[in-house]
Amino acid sequence: MSEIVPKNVSILLVEDEILVAVLQKKQLENFGYSVHHAKTGEEAVQLIAQADVPVDLILMDIDLGSGIDGTEAAKQILTYREIPVLFVSNHTEREVVDKTESIAGYGYVVKNSGIVVLDASIKMALKLFESKQEEKKAQEARMEFLEILEKALDEIYIFNSRDLRFEYVNTGAQKNLGYSLEELKSMTPVDIKPEYTEATFRERLQPLLQGTVEELHFETIHRRKDGSPYPVEVHLHYTKKPEGGTFTAFIMDLTDRKKAEEELRESETLFREVFEKHRAV
């Protein structure tokens, strides 16, 4: 018998031939699956639309008698719910297989291939679906993160560890630097940091790459497109990845702070001068 099926995997078997359906249902249940049966494509669509039964995967016959066929039923089902559909048919013609692939199916099994092949195909489809769902969640999380970055007032950018090119630059940084996003995509942090060469900047990054610190915090100078410099405070983080890591920089523009500090120093100097004159009188 096959390896143990993941707990509580429920299959909707869509098959119009009753004897075939009874046999497949029994075989699948012997392999540990919970199986529900629909005789027509319309019935299958209704079961999914109304969420009448729990379903983790649909085993869909293509020829379903006089009603809608399996490919049309799958199309309608996918408008209600994202779910893996594994097609089953006697047809092996290229055009039939291509038709199922265009519906985001999760495989195609020729009828009478045997329960072992069917079981392996089901497990593969479930793993592929799980992988796609995880990828989708990761993408959604990334989009939410980027949305937060876009709303941030200060400069935020992400650059890779290979050639240091920017992978992401938020709107605040684009406005502050005076470059368009297209221009920045071909640039690196060295292009906006006149204090650094590529060698000295890579040396600055080493503690993060070596894992000796979790964050680098330092002040430096940024240079706008028009050549004007301005002071910034940098908080730099590193994310390690198999294909090469990325650095995320959170930047605070210190222009106003530095101006305020200078004005405070000038006020203190003026106060001391007035005080000294008063003492001398």
Side-chain angles (χ1 to χ4, degrees):
M1 184 172 287
S2 173
E3 63 183 90
I4 297 175
V5 173
K7 190 176 181 180
N8 299 325
V9 171
S10 181
I11 292 176
L12 175 60
L13 172 63
V14 188
E15 171 61 65
D16 64 321
E17 296 184 35
I18 300 301
L19 291 179
V20 173
V22 170
L23 176 61
Q24 274 199 336
K25 186 174 186 295
K26 183 175 179 58
Q27 289 176 327
L28 289 167
E29 287 175 342
N30 286 340
F31 269 61
Y33 297 100
S34 173
V35 183
H36 305 280
H37 175 227
K39 297 185 292 294
T40 67
E42 289 85 353
E43 183 182 348
V45 173
Q46 184 178 21
L47 284 171
I48 297 299
Q50 298 179 356
D52 289 339
V53 295
V55 178
D56 299 304
L57 176 140
I58 297 175
L59 200 56
M60 179 74 76
D61 188 12
I62 293 180
D63 293 324
L64 294 171
S66 59
I68 62 175
D69 68 7
T71 56
E72 178 58 31
K75 287 180 183 178
Q76 294 185 27
I77 284 170
L78 292 173
T79 64
Y80 291 103
R81 181 181 162 194
E82 195 172 358
I83 187 170
V85 179
L86 181 60
F87 290 99
V88 181
S89 178
N90 286 318
H91 293 284
T92 56
E93 298 89 345
R94 182 73 261 175
E95 60 270 19
V96 176
V97 178
D98 289 344
K99 188 177 179 182
T100 64
E101 290 178 349
S102 68
I103 310 171
Y106 283 76
Y108 187 97
V109 181
V110 177
K111 276 190 175 181
N112 302 319
S113 295
I115 185 61
V116 174
V117 173
L118 183 59
D119 175 55
S121 299
I122 289 171
K123 288 187 172 67
M124 187 178 299
L126 289 170
K127 288 180 180 178
L128 178 59
F129 180 72
E130 182 181 3
S131 175
K132 286 186 176 181
Q133 292 301 104
E134 290 176 354
E135 182 180 344
K136 182 180 178 182
K137 288 180 181 178
Q139 181 63 21
E140 289 174 350
R142 176 176 173 81
M143 292 304 295
E144 290 177 4
F145 176 65
L146 292 180
E147 186 177 348
I148 292 172
L149 297 190
E150 278 298 328
K151 293 178 180 178
L153 296 177
D154 293 327
E155 298 177 23
I156 303 171
Y157 53 75
I158 299 172
F159 59 98
N160 66 63
S161 59
R162 300 180 301 280
D163 58 12
L164 304 181
R165 286 182 182 265
F166 289 121
E167 294 185 356
Y168 169 83
V169 183
N170 77 326
T171 303
Q174 294 171 46
K175 290 180 179 178
N176 218 13
L177 291 166
Y179 290 101
S180 68
L181 182 58
E182 287 303 312
E183 289 175 311
L184 287 163
K185 283 181 179 178
S186 64
M187 297 169 61
T188 75
V190 178
D191 295 318
I192 63 171
K193 300 181 189 296
E195 291 185 326
Y196 289 96
T197 63
E198 180 175 341
T200 58
F201 188 64
R202 285 188 179 277
E203 185 178 351
R204 164 67 84 171
L205 299 175
Q206 285 306 304
L208 283 175
L209 289 170
Q210 294 168 1
T212 57
V213 298
E214 293 185 357
E215 177 188 81
L216 280 179
H217 174 206
F218 58 95
E219 292 187 9
T220 185
I221 299 295
H222 276 186
R223 179 171 52 204
R224 297 185 178 90
K225 186 177 182 178
D226 64 11
S228 60
Y230 60 100
V232 295
E233 181 179 292
V234 179
H235 294 262
L236 197 59
H237 298 263
Y238 177 66
T239 302
K240 189 175 181 179
K241 298 179 181 179
E243 68 277 12
T246 56
F247 294 92
T248 302
F250 298 87
I251 313 295
M252 181 181 295
D253 186 341
L254 298 180
T255 302
D256 292 341
R257 182 198 296 181
K258 294 293 185 181
K259 182 179 179 181
E261 290 174 352
E262 181 61 29
E263 290 176 349
L264 179 60
R265 283 193 294 271
E266 290 176 356
S267 296
E268 290 174 344
T269 299
L270 180 61
F271 176 79
R272 284 196 296 270
E273 291 176 351
V274 172
F275 180 73
E276 291 298 328
K277 288 181 180 178
H278 180 75
R279 281 181 51 182
V281 171

